[in-house]
Amino acid sequence: RGSGAAGWSVATCVWRKAAAHSAHHHLLFPSASHRSASRMSKRVKKAAPNMPVLFIAHGGGPMPLLGQQDNYLEHFRSIPSLLPSAPTAVLCISAHWEEAEGVAVTANEAHSLLFDYSGFPEEAYTISYPVHGAPHMAARVQNLLRDAGITCRAETVRGLDHGTFVPLKPAWPDASVPVVQLSLNASLDPATHIRMGKALSTLREEGVLILGSGMSFHNMQAFFTPDPSHAPMAQEFDDFLRGACASDARRREELLTGWKSGPHALFCHPREEHLLPLMVCAGAAQQDTGSVVWTSVKLPDGIRVSSFKFG
């Protein structure tokens, strides 16, 4: 009996070693069926969609936050619904920041607000939006632009201007999405800004919302001196922009680079800083076409303004 028990013990030990070896071998060298199942699992798992690109009309100064432009306020609140998921960050290109040499990007951990307007009620100067910055993303923006031959410096003093905080405060009132702001170049050259967008387009794959904040129509004199002749001119130029945004990437770039040839272009934009964020968005869109996601008609003269989404 003793030898039988010993034999059983030895056999058990050998079996356990063999089983352990087999399991170890399976982990190191999975079977063909296991490898096939793994590949199938990877194929079934869908890649996250690229974040779309938005160009929004940002309204008149702080008025949407003061209860004076509710149509804009509702538009801003709808921004998250235009996206497939919450963005990892927002990169906002505002019409209200220009740099003479290259461009600049905010690299703050936390932002102050820049009240870059005048003549409004006191409450316009006490608005708060304690949103965080994203210095790591700002550094990435710098590197992407430098690789494209565009100088970009880090800005750590300037606050977010109203082109950024006015639309984003209603969009994410809990300030849960970090924000980085990028300037325009003071040359206002369309081709340069389209090239900026192309260089930054890869950020979309990382969940970053590239958002241009400007106006599709921006003639201050026309806004304050109503005239029935304004509406048809504004609509024709707005139609031109709609057609350009809906075109394939090559044609879109041709049309936007030559925007001054559009109908009544210089009436609609005597100075083009409010149009230039659209150029960055068009570049970042790459092959995605654009469509209108919001429009508003300013009474009493019927001037039409639009916002666009690419992708």
Side-chain angles (χ1 to χ4, degrees):
R1 286 182 185 176
S3 61
W8 176 257
S9 177
V10 169
T12 302
C13 182
V14 169
W15 178 84
R16 284 176 177 168
K17 286 182 178 179
H21 176 75
S22 175
H24 181 66
H25 184 275
H26 181 71
L27 288 172
L28 291 179
F29 308 103
S31 67
S33 60
H34 180 82
R35 290 193 299 269
S36 177
S38 178
R39 285 195 297 268
M40 185 177 293
S41 174
K42 288 178 181 177
R43 284 198 298 268
V44 169
K45 187 178 180 181
K46 293 182 179 179
N50 282 358
M51 194 61 63
V53 181
L54 297 179
F55 170 79
I56 60 166
H58 64 219
M63 289 196 293
L65 301 183
L66 303 180
Q68 298 179 38
Q69 289 184 334
D70 288 345
N71 54 339
Y72 282 89
L73 184 63
E74 290 307 311
H75 175 36
F76 303 154
R77 287 174 174 163
S78 76
I79 288 174
S81 70
L82 300 174
L83 311 177
S85 59
T88 55
V90 175
L91 176 62
C92 184
I93 303 94
S94 168
H96 293 279
W97 184 15
E98 299 173 25
E99 287 285 310
E101 298 293 331
V103 293
V105 63
T106 58
N108 316 51
E109 279 284 359
H111 292 294
S112 60
L113 300 186
L114 177 62
F115 302 124
D116 54 335
Y117 41 70
S118 60
F120 291 96
E122 181 62 29
E123 60 185 304
Y125 306 93
T126 58
I127 295 168
S128 173
Y129 190 52
V131 71
H132 289 288
H136 62 286
M137 196 186 87
R140 180 134 168 72
V141 168
Q142 285 184 278
N143 290 333
L144 290 170
L145 291 175
R146 285 169 179 165
D147 288 347
I150 299 168
T151 302
C152 181
R153 70 173 183 83
E155 170 60 57
T156 57
V157 177
R158 188 185 194 273
L160 301 177
D161 62 53
H162 76 273
T164 296
F165 72 77
V166 168
L168 293 187
K169 182 177 171 69
W172 289 282
D174 60 356
S176 59
V177 179
V179 175
V180 170
Q181 184 173 328
L182 178 65
S183 80
L184 301 174
N185 176 260
S187 70
L188 302 182
D189 175 57
T192 297
H193 290 81
I194 291 173
R195 187 157 57 96
M196 285 169 54
K198 289 179 179 179
L200 298 169
S201 63
T202 188
L203 294 174
R204 299 174 59 195
E205 301 171 14
E206 302 164 21
V208 175
L209 172 62
I210 298 175
L211 184 144
S213 177
M215 292 286 282
S216 59
F217 177 98
H218 195 256
N219 180 327
M220 295 301 290
Q221 184 176 356
F223 279 139
F224 291 104
T225 55
D227 187 299
S229 68
H230 294 167
M233 291 191 286
Q235 182 170 328
E236 285 185 51
F237 186 73
D238 196 64
D239 286 340
F240 165 79
L241 291 181
R242 292 178 181 214
C245 291
S247 298
D248 63 78
R250 182 175 178 179
R251 180 60 177 155
R252 179 175 67 221
E253 185 169 343
E254 290 174 353
L255 289 169
L256 292 181
T257 301
W259 72 273
K260 290 181 180 179
S261 297
H264 316 292
L266 294 179
F267 168 75
C268 296
H269 288 276
R271 190 174 187 275
E272 59 267 40
E273 79 286 344
H274 274 71
L275 187 61
L276 265 293
L278 177 61
M279 310 301 181
V280 181
C281 292
Q286 296 285 27
Q287 301 305 312
D288 288 332
T289 55
S291 59
V292 175
V293 291
W294 179 84
T295 191
S296 178
V297 176
K298 179 184 178 296
L299 300 175
D301 50 355
I303 292 174
R304 189 173 79 188
V305 295
S306 298
S307 295
F308 298 91
K309 175 186 174 184
F310 300 87

